[in-house]
Amino acid sequence: MRDRLDRLPAGSLVVVRALPGAGDADHDQLARDLDAALARLLGEAPKGGNPPGAVTDGGSAAGPRNPGRDPGGSAQ
């Protein structure tokens, strides 16, 4: 995590919780999972995925203010 702190806004608080299967994962897999989680959090385009704001199958742009089909809807 230390190598990734410069990607976060100053004053950010971070809590990382591992799923039960993480105990069997190697360092490289855990690093990839952490990088993917940070990319989602920071609104970065995932490798091989839709960029932030891309139109989803629902016809509206997905993003932090419009999370798509997640329960709870938009936090506007």
Side-chain angles (χ1 to χ4, degrees):
M1 184 66 213
R2 184 178 318 175
D3 297 338
R4 294 158 177 87
L5 291 177
D6 62 337
R7 295 173 55 190
L8 300 172
S12 296
L13 298 176
V14 178
V15 175
V16 177
R17 294 187 178 148
L19 295 173
D24 297 327
D26 64 13
H27 179 268
D28 291 333
Q29 180 62 48
L30 294 173
R32 284 190 300 271
D33 290 347
L34 180 59
D35 288 337
L38 287 173
R40 284 190 305 271
L41 174 72
L42 299 171
E44 298 170 1
K47 295 176 183 172
N50 292 332
V55 176
T56 63
D57 61 357
S60 62
R65 295 182 58 91
N66 186 8
R69 296 178 181 250
D70 291 343
S74 178
Q76 294 182 12

